[in-house]
Amino acid sequence: MATTGRRFTIDPITRLEGHGKIEVLLDESGNVERALLQVPELRGFEKFAEGRPAEDMPQITSRICGVCPMAHHMASTKALDSLYKVDPPPAAKKIRELIYSTFMTEDHALHFYFLGGPDFVVGPQAPAAERNVLGVISKVGVEVGKRVIATRKMLRELIIAVAGKVIHPVFGLPGGVARRITREEQEQFKKAAGEAVDFAKFTLATFEEVVLHNNDYVKLILSDAYAHRTYYMGMVDQENRLNFYDGAIRVVSPEGREVARFTADQYLDYVAEHVEPWSYIKFCYLKPVGWKGFEEGGESGVYCVAPLARLNAADGFATPLAKEAWHQYFDALGGKPVHQTLANHWARVIELLYAAERMRELAMDDEITSDNIRRLPTEIPKEGFGVVEAPRGTLFHHYQTDERGVIRKANLIVATQNNAARMAMSVDKAARGLVKNGQVSEGILNMVEMAFRAYDPCHGCATHSLPGSMPLVIRLWDRNRNLVAAVRRDSNGTVRTDMPR
Amino acid sequence: MEMISLKIDGKPTQVQDGTSILAAARPLGARIPALCYHPLLKPFGACRVCVVESRGTAGFELVTACNTPCAEGMDILTDSPHVLAARRVVLELMRARWPNVSILKELAAEAGLTTPRFGSPKKDENPEACILCLRCVRVCEEVVGACAIGYEDRGMRRRVVTPFDQPSEACIACGTCTSICPTGHIKLVPEDYRGKPAEFLLGPNTAIYMPTPQAVPKVPRIDADTCIHFKTGGCQACIDVCEPGAIRHEMEDEEIEVEVGQVLVTTGFGLFDASAMASYGYGRLDNVYAALEIERMLNATGPTGGRVLTKDGRTPRAIGIIHCVGSRDENHHRYCSRVCCMYALKFAHLVKERSHAEVYNFYIDMRAFGKGYEEFYSRVMDEGVHVVRGKVAEVVQAAWTGRENGTMLIRCEDTLIGRFREIPVDMVILCNALQPDDQARKVARLFGLSRSPDGFFLERHPKLDPVATTTDGLFVAGCCQGPKDIPDSVAQSSAAAARILATISKGAVEIEPIRAEISEEDCSGCRTCNPLCPYYAIEFLAEKQVSHVNAALCKGCGTCVAACPSGAIAGHGFSDRQINAELEGILAV
Amino acid sequence: METNGKRYQPRIIGFLCNWCSYTGADLAGVSRMKSAPNLRIIRVMCSGRVDPAFVLRAFRLGADGVLVAGCHPGDCHYKQGNFKALRRAMFLKRLLREFGVDERRLRLEWISASEGERFAQVTNEFTEQLRALGPLQLAAQPEAAAAAVQEVAAQ
Amino acid sequence: MSAKPKVAFYWCASCGGCEEAVVDLAEKVLDVVAAVDIVFWPVALDFKRHDVEAMPDGSILATFINGAIRMSEQEEMAHLLRRKSVVVVAFGSCAQLGGIPGLANFWSRDTIFHRVYQESPSTRNQQGTEPALETQVNGHAVTLPVFHETVRSLNQVIDVDYFLPGCAPTPKLLAQAVETLLSGNLPPKGSVLAPDTALCDECDRRETKPDRMMIKEFHRPHQVLANQEDCLLAQGLLCMGPATRAGCEARCVQGNMPCTGCFGPTSRVTDQGSKILSAIASIIDSTDEAEVSRILDSIPDPAGTFYRYSLPVSLLGGRRPEAIPR
C-alpha cells in the first residue's frame, strides 16, 4: 500500500488544541526509530490580542481554555496589575485568591474523579468502557458520585456569584476586582469551604485506601517506565511554600537543588520555546540550560510543571493538613524530587486538600467583604507580566501596550506547553519499550494512555478528556512509509490491531 | 380759598390769594412787558422789566410784577411816570450790553428809548445773544425734569452752561430750551445731516407724529424714544391738551400667543444698502438718493410736497437713474431683483412729469416682462427719457464751489455705441436690490424653513409647489420667498390662503404612512431610542418596561429605526427589508 | 485607472435625504447638470435613517463607495437627524479603518435642496476619488454575504 | 442498536468551555445520558471517525458542534457529521458566530505564524522553522492539517439547522434545547434557541436606566469604580447588552462588568457590530465634531469590541487582506 500516507484518517487521541496524533516510525529492523506526539491545531491568541484594549485580555485569554479559564483570567489580571503598576487593596487580593482556590478545588476534583481517577480507582486492567466517572461511582458508591457532582456544582455556583461566569469569568480588573462579596456570600463560602475540606480529606483517604494500599498500583507508580529525570518548576511564597496565586517561580534540578528563583517579569531569562516542524505546539525548555532535544537529565533544558513538579519545587504547604500529607507523600516515594510521572495523581489530591484549606482560611477572613476592592490605575501603561499556577502548570502572560493601554504585543506560555517536551518523551519511551521487531504489544495503549492521563494534558490550554478511556490510535510505519500496523481500541473497549494485507 | 380785592390802574378787581400782580394785571389789558417770565415757569424776577408802582398809605414802592403776590387793598399803577422811568433805565442797561438783540430793541422803542447812554465792558453785538433770562435753565428743570443745563458765576460773569461745559449726558435733545429762548440763542443741531429730508435722518422730529401721511390706520403715535415723559416721567402736557383723552402713556408692547394649525409666512424683504457700493457715492455725495427716498420725495405728501429738488432746493437739470444696484452683481446679489426696471421707469416718468430735467436710465437689460409693462416702457421712451445700456462705473463730484451747483458726473460704458461716456447730472437715483430681511435666518429657524443660497425661503418645489414648504401646514408668499412685484405677491399669497382654507374646510389632516413602530414583544426596554425623537413621539411604558411610538406625533424620519440595537423598531415605508432589497437590486448589475 | 482596457467605473451607493439632498439631486437634473452615472441613489426620509449596516452591506454587495447626504446642520427637516448621521459616519469611518477599508470610501455631505450644482460636483468628485482608489476588495466572505442575502430574502 | 435517539457532540476550534457547559448540567447529565444514545463524543467517548463513516446518512438525530472552523480537518468532520445528522446544532458562540478565535480574521495565516513561531520573545528559532503540512522525519513524511487563511463559523461551512448561543451556553439553555429536540416539535429551521429580545430585557439594572440616556464620555472598566446598582451604559461603560440577545441572565452585569455580546444579535439584526455602533453614536450627547471625535477617542478598539464574537459572520468579515500589516 504505497499510498497509505495519504489514506490515514485523523482520529482523536485527546484534544490538544484539536486532536492529538501519535506517529511511530520504525527502522529496517522494525524497531522504533522515533515516536512523535503531534498537536495539529493553533488559534493564534498571541497575534489577535494585538489591538485589543489591555483590560479586555482577562476575558479574551480565558477563551484559550474553557476548563481552566480562571487560570488565564487570573494570570492576565495580574499582568494588568503590573502593566498599570497598581497594587490591589488587600481585600481584592484575598477575594482573587479565594475565588482561585475555589476554582482549583473544583478543577482538581474534576480531574481526580472524572479524568485521572478512573485509572486507579477503577483499576488499570478494567475494561475501558468502565473506566469513567460512572465506573468510579459504581466503585465508590452512588452517594459519593452524587457528592462529587454536588460539591463541584456548589463551588462553581459560588464562582458564578462573584466572578459573573464560571466558564470565562469577568471580575478581574487592574488594581482589584469588579464586584464586592456580600456578607451572605461570605457565609456561603464558609459553608462551602468546610464541605470542600471534608471532601478533600475524603478524597485523599479514598486515594490511600484504593491506591496506596494496593501494591500493584504502588509498583506501577514507582515503575521506571513513567520516570523522567528532568527539571521541575513551580510557584512558591517567601518561605518556599507552594502557592497557586502569587509568589516566585522556583526551579529545581533533577537532583532537587534550587537552580533558579525568579519573578514573572524575569521569565524571558529562564523560559524559552523550541519549534518543531511536525507539530503546531511549541516545546518549552529552560533557557539557561538550553534545548538539547527530547532528552532527560541536567544537561537538557526539558522541565516539568503541574502537581508533581510543584511539590518537587516547593518545600512544603502553608496549611496544616496539606503539610502533613506532603511529608507522607515524600516519605512514601523516597524523598525529593519524585520523577515518577504517575505520582502526579497523588500530588494532585494533596493540592486539592491545600486548595480547600486555603479557601477556608480566606472565607473566614471578614476583610473579603470590604468595599475597598479596587485601586484605580494612574500610571501610563507600557509592559506587564503575570504568572499563576494553573491546575496543569505554570502559566505566563506578558503584554506590551501603547500609552492608551492597547495591546501592541502579547506573549503567552500556557501550562501544558511546559510539559510538552516531557510528554513527548513519555510517548517515545513507551513506544520504544513496547514495540519490538515490528511486533506491537497491546499494552502499549494502556501504557501510553496512563502516561498521558497523568499529565492531565491540556495543551495550550483547553485540553481535557472527559469520562472514559482516552481514545487512542497508534499507527506504525516502516521505512518505506508502509503502514505496518494500526492499533486502536474500539467502542466496545476491546483492543484491535489492524495489519494491512 | 379767599379772594383778594385790589385796584390796577384804577380798575378794581378780585383775584385768588397768591396770584402775582402780573397774572392779575394782564387779563385787565395792562401792558406789562417781561423777559424772564413764562407762564409754564415759576416766577423768577431776574430781568426787572416787569416793574410796577404800588401805592400805599405810606407813599409808593416799585415792585416786580412777576413774583409779587397781590395783597388786600393794593393800588397798582402799571404805566406811571415812575414805572416808565425805572423800566427805561433797566432796558437801557440791557441794551448797553446786548445792542442788537431784537426783543430788547422792540421793548426799548416801546419805552421811548433811543441810543443808550452807557457802554458795557461785556458788550455783545450778537443779535441772538443770551440775555440771561434763564428760562431755558428753569424749563429744563421744572418741566422737562432733565436738569441738563444750568448757569455759572454771577453778575456780569454769569453764563448759561452744560455741566463742566461738556456735552450734557442728561440732555435728551427734546429742544424745549430752544423753543423757550426769547433770543434764539439756543439751537438744536441734529448730527450727521446729509441734506436729506429730515424724516430719513432723525425719524420723527416731534414726540407725537403720524408715521407717514398715508399711514394705515391713520392715527398719530407717540415715539417713546423722543417723548419727554418716557425719559423723565414728567411733562404729559399732551394729556391736558387732548380733549378726547385719547393718550395713554402707560400702554405697553405685549406678546400675544395665538394657537394656529397653519402658518403663512410673508415676512417680506430687506433693501440692499447702496453705501456698500462706495463708487456710487451714496451717503457721501449730497444728491445721491436711494430708491425709497425718491419714492418719498415724489410723494405728494412727502417732505418736498412731491417736487423734485436737490438738497439746496434747486430743481435738477439732469438726473441719472442707475439700475441693478446690488442686483445681478457677482460681488453682491447674483439674482435679478425683478422690480427695479419698472420702478426706475416710473421714476423717469414722474420726474419728466414734474420737471424739465433730462433723465438718463443706466441699465444692463431692460426687463419689462409683466402685463402692460412693455407698453409703459415704450411710452416712457416717447417721453424722451434717455437710456444707456451699460453698468455705471462710478459717480463723481464734478463741482466744488457753490456756483457750480453741485453737479456730478456719471461715468459708464455705453455698450450700444461701444464708447466710454461721462454724463453730468445734478441728482442720482440708485435702484437698490431686494434682499432677504435681516431677520430671515431667525424666522427660518423658528419655522424650520429651508433657505435657498440667496437666502430667500425655499418653497417645496420650484415648479410644482411654489407656495408650500417642506413642513406641512407652513406656507410662504411674497418677497420672503423671492423678489417679486405686487401682482405676483398678491397672486402667491391668495394661492397660499386658498391652500390653507382647503385644509381648514376639510377639518382633518392627512399624515404620511411613513412612520416608526415598536414591537412590544421584541423591545428590550434599553431606551436607546427615547432621547432620539425630535418630536417626543417615543414614550417609555414603565409598567410594560418597553418603549412606545405615538403614531400621531411620529414624522417617520427613521432615526430611531436605525438606532434600535435589537432591531425592534419597524420603519414603515422605509423598512430595513425594503432598503436592503433596493441595495440588492441596484448592486445586482 | 484602467481595467481590461475599459476605464474603471466605480460603483457608488448614495443615500439621499428626501428633503434636501434628494431634492438637490432632482434640481441638478431639472437644471440639466452633468453628473457621473456611477452614483446609484437610494432615497431615505432623513440621513438619520441610514443604518450603518446599510453602508457595510453596500460594500459587501460590491459598492466601491457610499455617499450619505443630508440637510445642512441646523436645516434638518427633522431638526437633529443629520447630526445623528454625522456621528454615525464619524464612528463608521473609524471602524472602516480597522477593517482596512479606506475611510474615504464613505462620504458624508450636506447638500441642500437648492444645491443642485453642489450635488453634481460632489458626485463627480467622489467618482474620480474612487477611481483613484481603485476597486474595493473585501476579505473574501462569500458565505457571509450569501447568508446576509438569504436573510433579506427571508424577511 | 438501541431505539434511543442518537446524539453526537463534536468540537472544532474552541476552548472546551462548551464541553464544560455539558458537564455543568451536573446531575442532569445523567438524565441526558439516559434519554439518548451518545454515538460520538471524542472528548468523552471512544468512537472514531470511521465509526461515524460507517453509520447510514441521517442516522444521527442531532449533532452538537462547537468551535469555529480553522483547520482543514475540522471542515472535513463538519461535512461528515452534516451528512450523518438530521439536525445540526451550532453549539456556542464560536460555532454560531466564529467567536473569540474569529478575531484572528484581523490577521492572515502568515502574520499569525510569524508572530507565534518567529517573533514571540520567548521563542528561540534561528532556522525560522514553522510547522509544515509535510515534514521529513527520519525519512518518514509526517503531515499536519491545513491552517486556513480565515476563521469561519459553522454555517459558513455547512448547512446549520439551529444555533445555541453563548460563550459558553448556559446549562439551562442546553437542557431546554435537548428537551426541545427530543420533544419532536422542532422550531423553524435557522432558529436561535434562546430568547429573541436584547439582554436589557432580563437585566436587573434596566429599571435604573435614565429617561434621557445621552452620553458625554465613555469610560473603560478599569478607569472607574462602577456602582453595582445602576445601568452600566448609563454609567458610561460600553455595554453590548442593548445589541445582544438575552438568555445568559445578564451574568457579566451581575459580576459588575459590561456585556461583551457573546450571545450575538437578535434575529432581526444581521450585523451586531454596526448595530451597537449606530446605537452608541446616536446617544452621544454632542453635535460638535471636535467634541464627538474626542468622545469617540474614549473607545479604543471599536472593531474588536463590537465584533468581539462575530467577526467572521460580520458584513465585512475581517480585515482586507491587502490591508493587513506585516
Side-chain angles (χ1 to χ4, degrees), chain A residues 418-481:
Chain A
N418 300 293
N419 273 342
R422 198 178 197 263
M423 209 178 298
M425 286 155 59
S426 298
V427 171
D428 196 55
K429 191 167 188 173
R432 288 175 192 284
L434 298 154
V435 181
K436 292 275 183 283
N437 311 326
Q439 291 312 305
V440 185
S441 148
E442 311 206 331
I444 187 173
L445 293 172
N446 292 353
M447 302 295 283
V448 174
E449 177 179 354
M450 297 275 274
F452 254 88
R453 180 87 65 210
Y455 289 100
D456 181 13
C458 179
H459 278 74
C461 177
T463 306
H464 261 69
S465 271
L466 289 161
S469 64
M470 174 165 55
L472 181 64
V473 67
I474 299 182
R475 274 178 306 280
L476 285 73
W477 307 92
D478 67 16
R479 223 57 211 87
N480 318 321
R481 189 103 184 121

Side-chain angles (χ1 to χ4, degrees), chain A residues 160-181:
Chain A
I160 289 175
V162 178
K165 284 157 59 188
V166 63
I167 305 175
H168 306 317
V170 300
F171 76 135
L173 281 172
V177 293
R179 186 186 174 283
R180 283 192 306 274
I181 290 185

Side-chain angles (χ1 to χ4, degrees), chain A residues 50-69:
Chain A
E50 293 173 16
R52 312 283 82 80
E55 68 272 16
D56 289 2
M57 293 308 283
Q59 290 192 45
I60 292 177
T61 54
S62 80
R63 265 70 182 194
I64 291 172
C65 176
V67 181
C68 58

Side-chain angles (χ1 to χ4, degrees), chain B residues 406-466:
Chain B
T407 312
M408 295 173 286
L409 287 178
I410 293 180
R411 297 199 169 130
C412 82
E413 178 195 14
D414 186 330
T415 57
L416 294 181
I417 59 172
R419 280 265 185 67
F420 174 76
R421 294 178 65 179
E422 282 190 331
I423 299 171
V425 293
D426 290 334
M427 185 185 280
V428 173
I429 301 172
L430 304 176
C431 302
N432 321 54
L434 273 53
Q435 65 185 23
D437 185 83
D438 315 346
Q439 302 291 306
R441 183 161 200 75
K442 254 177 75 191
V443 177
R445 282 283 159 86
L446 186 64
F447 290 100
L449 284 163
S450 306
R451 303 201 303 160
S452 36
D454 52 30
F456 292 103
F457 298 148
L458 197 65
E459 64 285 350
R460 173 170 281 189
H461 191 283
K463 294 187 174 64
L464 306 178
D465 203 349

Side-chain angles (χ1 to χ4, degrees), chain B residues 334 441 445 448-453 458 460-463 470-472 512 514 531-535 555-563 571 574-584 586-589, chain C residues 11 13 15 19-20 23 26-27 30 40-46 48-52 54 57-59 61-63 73-75 77-81 84 87-88 112-115 117 148-149 152-153 155:
Chain B
R334 296 182 55 194
R441 183 161 200 75
R445 282 283 159 86
L449 284 163
S450 306
R451 303 201 303 160
S452 36
L458 197 65
R460 173 170 281 189
H461 191 283
K463 294 187 174 64
T470 51
T471 311
D472 300 343
E512 299 252 20
I514 301 165
L532 304 184
C533 182
Y535 306 101
K555 290 248 180 290
C557 66
T559 300
C560 59
V561 183
F574 287 82
S575 68
D576 286 10
R577 186 180 158 204
Q578 288 168 309
I579 292 173
N580 286 331
E582 272 187 83
L583 271 173
E584 304 293 332
I586 52 179
L587 282 169
V589 285
Chain C
R11 306 206 292 175
I13 294 298
F15 293 98
W19 306 104
C20 296
T23 322
D26 188 27
L27 180 61
V30 173
R40 305 164 185 210
I41 296 176
I42 291 180
R43 179 177 70 104
V44 288
M45 291 310 280
C46 176
R49 173 65 182 97
V50 179
D51 185 331
F54 297 157
R57 191 185 300 275
F59 284 131
L61 293 174
D75 294 346
H77 181 64
Y78 303 103
K79 299 193 177 78
Q80 292 273 315
K84 281 138 195 155
R87 297 200 292 262
R88 289 178 190 144
S112 83
S114 55
E115 295 176 316
E117 198 175 348
V149 176
V152 174
Q155 281 167 356

